[in-house]
């Protein structure tokens, strides 16, 4: 019977293979003994992974002339190679089935200098990398029409053609030694409502998907706050609400519970296990009520200009009246500001910047008929123009951050539980309460990974978009008519 290995320290990572593979020839070299550090960033706010690796080079691999002074197996780095990584983390290092494999594409060599800035025995430099999908999809532009398709179907079609097929046509599947490169990724896409015909006007695939994301409407998750992003495992085109529903059950796993602490070091196996669940250097979101008012974080007004009927229809959206109707990150959310303050500062519609749309589409639920001056089906403009900016503001404004030891099963979009003590006089008591206002369930927004000397640390940013500890639970779908033609009414003096 094989005895289970004991991990040596929290954050332990075993980089078992670190290959640089030539795109041109398929030749590869293992730089496991040459790297100083590996950095990688993945974020729900950016469409591609990006990173860099610091290398110490005593062979002169960036010089093509060096091959004239060496054997045929010399490797030349041009800035057009694959970076293939295989590793185990703290939780998986003793399980061969948990070996993690990732492949990226090196596109730049920068910060070339002598070792430590003075030694003439070699060079040190930085190799920047991203996903192969980014490199090869960016070589194409889309100028075509997509007819009678939902936005989610169009995004899937763009992904299949430009991210999967184009990439597969150009990349290597393995190196000359038989090491299989891990390049293919799936797209997790949320279904959108209605079908349209649209023309993509000479955009890169990334720009086209982001263009569609600004217009996409989800009937189930009516915030319609669509994000397009890449993780180490997959690509995503979905709303934050979709991710909440998809990942809510994972919160039952203790591996996703973290605690704000700057606790003492404990080198025992139990102490190192606890250290894997500690967030150090934890931050809190800022509070700025004037900024929220100016950014229209609580209200929207959309004017629909109907030229055929010579009419203008005004529509209003009040977040304070509808926020519980979404699949919010916290199960019992509350707003930062009071209803009375929000009503008094945003209730006057004359002080709300107006969005304008021209009505050349059928009304909601109305059949599409060209003879009725309809050029297309209902567009959900007033819904998406109202909710997307509001959701984006709260999602971004309430970011928190901290540092954890890295692990390979956390990704942007994952939900985690963050235990934060109430930092008050009562926190000195033996059974102090946990902070439900800032703490509790959070969504990971970005992960900044750094590996140095077999230690993996991750800067993690996360958000709950609102505050926690509210009196009422979420009631998803209860705000189906959030955008109305009724003007907002001032809150009473006793609210």
């Amino acid at each position: 019977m094989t005895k289970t290995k004991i991990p040596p320290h929290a954050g332990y990572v075993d980089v078992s293979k670190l290959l640089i593979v030539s795109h041109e020839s398929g030749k590869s070299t293992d730089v496991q003994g040459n790297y100083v550090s590996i950095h990688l960033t993945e974020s729900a706010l950016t469409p591609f992974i990006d990173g860099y690796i610091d290398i110490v080079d005593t062979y002169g691999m960036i010089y093509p002339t060096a091959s004239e002074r060496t054997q045929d197996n010399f490797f030349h780095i041009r800035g057009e190679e694959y970076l293939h990584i295989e590793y185990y983390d703290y939780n998986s290092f003793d399980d061969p089935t948990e070996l993690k494999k990732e492949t990226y594409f090196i596109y730049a060599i920068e910060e070339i200098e002598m070792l430590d800035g003075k030694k003439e025995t070699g060079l040190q430099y930085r190799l920047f990398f991203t996903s192969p999908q980014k490199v090869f999809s960016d070589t194409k532009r889309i100028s075509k029409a997509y007819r009678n398709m939902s936005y989610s179907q169009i995004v899937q079609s763009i992904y299949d053609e430009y991210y999967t097929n184009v990439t597969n046509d150009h990349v290597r599947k393995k190196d000359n030694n038989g090491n299989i490169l891990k390049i293919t990724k799936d797209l997790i896409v949320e279904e959108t409502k209605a079908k349209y015909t649209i023309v993509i006007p000479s955009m890169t695939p990334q720009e086209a998907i982001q263009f569609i994301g600004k217009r996409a409407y989800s009937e189930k998750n009516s915030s319609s706050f669509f994000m397009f992003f890449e993780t180490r495992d997959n690509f995503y085109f979905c709303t934050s609400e979709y991710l909440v529903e998809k990942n809510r059950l994972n919160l039952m796993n203790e591996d996703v519970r973290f605690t704000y602490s700057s606790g003492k070091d404990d080198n025992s196996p139990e102490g190192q296990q606890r250290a894997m669940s500690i967030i150090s250097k934890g931050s809190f979101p800022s509070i700025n009520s004037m900024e929220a008012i100016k950014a229209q974080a609580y209200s929207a007004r959309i004017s629909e200009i109907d030229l055929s009927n010579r009419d203008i229809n005004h529509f209003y959206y009040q977040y304070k009246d509808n926020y519980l109707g979404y699949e919010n990150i916290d199960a019992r959310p509350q707003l930062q500001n009071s209803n009375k303050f929000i009503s008094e500062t945003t209730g006057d519609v004359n002080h709300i910047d107006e969005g304008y749309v021209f009505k050349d589409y059928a009304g909601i639920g109305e059949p599409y008929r060209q003879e009725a001056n309809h050029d297309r089906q209902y567009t959900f403009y007033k819904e998406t123009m109202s909710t997307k900016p509001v959701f984006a503001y709260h999602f971004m404004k309430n970011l928190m951050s901290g540092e954890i030891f890295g692990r390979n099963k956390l990704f942007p979009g994952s939900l985690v539980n963050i235990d934060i003590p109430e930092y008050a006089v009562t926190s000195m008591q033996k059974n102090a309460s946990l902070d439900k206002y800032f703490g509790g369930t959070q969504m990971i927004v970005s992960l900044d990974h750094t590996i140095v000397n077999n230690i993996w640390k991750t800067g993690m940013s996360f958000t709950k978009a609102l505050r926690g500890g509210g009196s009422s639970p979420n009631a998803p779908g209860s705000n189906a008519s959030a955008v109305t033609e009724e003007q907002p009414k001032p809150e009473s003096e006793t609210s």
Side-chain angles (χ1 to χ4, degrees), residues 33-151:
N34 300 77
Y35 88 92
V36 177
S37 61
I38 303 172
H39 302 259
L40 183 147
T41 299
E42 50 184 333
S43 171
L45 303 175
T46 55
F48 289 97
I49 281 176
D50 203 7
Y52 62 87
I53 176 171
D54 289 324
I55 292 287
V56 170
D57 179 6
T58 58
Y59 298 99
M61 290 188 290
I62 63 171
Y63 297 118
T65 54
S67 61
E68 300 170 4
R69 305 189 297 272
T70 60
Q71 300 298 319
D72 185 54
N73 62 355
F74 174 80
F75 192 90
H76 178 208
I77 299 177
R78 299 171 178 269
E80 52 175 56
E81 291 75 34
Y82 304 94
L83 178 68
H84 180 72
I85 308 172
E86 297 185 8
Y87 63 93
Y88 296 95
D89 72 351
Y90 177 90
N91 292 318
S92 65
F93 77 103
D94 60 346
D95 184 354
T97 65
E98 290 292 325
L99 178 66
K100 186 76 173 171
K101 299 181 180 182
E102 299 168 10
T103 303
Y104 303 100
F105 198 92
I106 296 170
Y107 64 89
I109 309 170
E110 296 185 6
E111 301 185 29
I112 304 171
E113 57 184 42
M114 291 186 293
L115 283 177
D116 298 327
K118 58 184 179 180
K119 296 179 181 178
E120 299 178 2
T121 55
L123 294 174
Q124 60 190 37
Y125 46 82
R126 182 164 288 180
L127 303 177
F128 286 86
F129 60 85
T130 186
S131 63
Q133 287 86 347
K134 168 65 172 174
V135 173
F136 294 104
S137 68
D138 268 7
T139 65
K140 306 294 181 181
R141 300 194 78 84
I142 304 175
S143 296
K144 62 186 291 187
Y146 292 87
R147 301 182 184 280
N148 196 30
M149 300 170 68
S150 68
Y151 284 140

Side-chain angles (χ1 to χ4, degrees), residues 39-300:
H39 302 259
L40 183 147
T41 299
E42 50 184 333
S43 171
L45 303 175
T46 55
F48 289 97
I49 281 176
D50 203 7
Y52 62 87
I53 176 171
D54 289 324
I55 292 287
V56 170
D57 179 6
T58 58
Y59 298 99
M61 290 188 290
I62 63 171
Y63 297 118
T65 54
S67 61
E68 300 170 4
R69 305 189 297 272
T70 60
Q71 300 298 319
D72 185 54
N73 62 355
F74 174 80
F75 192 90
H76 178 208
I77 299 177
R78 299 171 178 269
E80 52 175 56
E81 291 75 34
Y82 304 94
L83 178 68
H84 180 72
I85 308 172
E86 297 185 8
Y87 63 93
Y88 296 95
D89 72 351
Y90 177 90
N91 292 318
S92 65
F93 77 103
D94 60 346
D95 184 354
T97 65
E98 290 292 325
L99 178 66
K100 186 76 173 171
K101 299 181 180 182
E102 299 168 10
T103 303
Y104 303 100
F105 198 92
I106 296 170
Y107 64 89
I109 309 170
E110 296 185 6
E111 301 185 29
I112 304 171
E113 57 184 42
M114 291 186 293
L115 283 177
D116 298 327
K118 58 184 179 180
K119 296 179 181 178
E120 299 178 2
T121 55
L123 294 174
Q124 60 190 37
Y125 46 82
R126 182 164 288 180
L127 303 177
F128 286 86
F129 60 85
T130 186
S131 63
Q133 287 86 347
K134 168 65 172 174
V135 173
F136 294 104
S137 68
D138 268 7
T139 65
K140 306 294 181 181
R141 300 194 78 84
I142 304 175
S143 296
K144 62 186 291 187
Y146 292 87
R147 301 182 184 280
N148 196 30
M149 300 170 68
S150 68
Y151 284 140
S152 54
Q153 290 173 331
I154 297 173
V155 168
Q156 185 69 64
S157 177
I158 292 172
Y159 185 85
D160 290 343
E161 181 175 357
Y162 297 98
Y163 287 77
T164 300
N165 296 342
V166 168
T167 301
N168 288 343
D169 288 343
H170 290 89
V171 299
R172 288 189 170 273
K173 306 302 186 293
K174 57 184 178 180
D175 70 1
N176 291 348
N177 297 321
N179 292 294
I180 297 175
L181 304 183
K182 178 72 168 60
I183 292 176
T184 302
K185 293 182 178 180
D186 293 328
L187 172 68
I188 310 301
V189 60
E190 179 179 352
E191 184 178 349
T192 60
K193 185 175 175 60
K195 294 185 177 182
Y196 303 100
T197 294
I198 67 168
V199 176
I200 304 297
S202 186
M203 293 180 172
T204 65
Q206 172 190 323
E207 292 169 342
I209 292 176
Q210 292 175 318
F211 170 79
I212 292 168
K214 293 177 181 178
R215 292 155 176 77
Y217 176 76
S218 169
E219 183 175 36
K220 182 177 182 181
N221 298 314
S222 57
S223 69
S224 297
F225 177 44
F226 277 86
M227 300 178 288
F228 175 57
F229 63 97
E230 180 189 14
T231 71
R232 286 167 289 127
D233 274 6
N234 295 301
F235 281 86
Y236 288 83
F237 178 79
C238 61
T239 62
S240 59
E241 292 183 84
Y242 174 90
L243 294 169
V244 170
E245 183 181 28
K246 181 176 183 289
N247 296 322
R248 182 77 77 183
L249 286 177
N250 293 340
L251 290 170
M252 299 175 66
N253 189 340
E254 281 300 309
D255 285 347
V256 297
R257 181 173 294 280
F258 297 89
T259 302
Y260 266 34
S261 176
S262 56
K264 299 177 181 179
D265 291 337
D266 182 347
N267 291 324
S268 69
E270 295 78 12
Q272 292 299 289
Q273 183 66 52
R274 284 194 298 273
M276 289 294 295
S277 298
I278 296 297
I279 295 183
S280 60
K281 305 175 185 177
S283 72
F284 292 85
S286 60
I287 298 171
N288 191 326
S289 299
M290 286 188 64
E291 180 187 83
I293 296 168
K294 292 177 68 175
Q296 295 183 197
Y298 293 115
S299 58

Side-chain angles (χ1 to χ4, degrees), residues 296 299-301 303 314 316 318 343-354 356 487-488:
Q296 295 183 197
S299 58
R301 179 173 65 162
S303 291
H314 301 287
Y316 307 93
Q318 291 293 314
S343 179
E344 291 177 348
T345 54
T346 67
D348 186 347
V349 295
N350 293 316
H351 292 167
I352 301 176
D353 290 339
E354 210 165 0
Y356 295 92
Q487 294 193 23

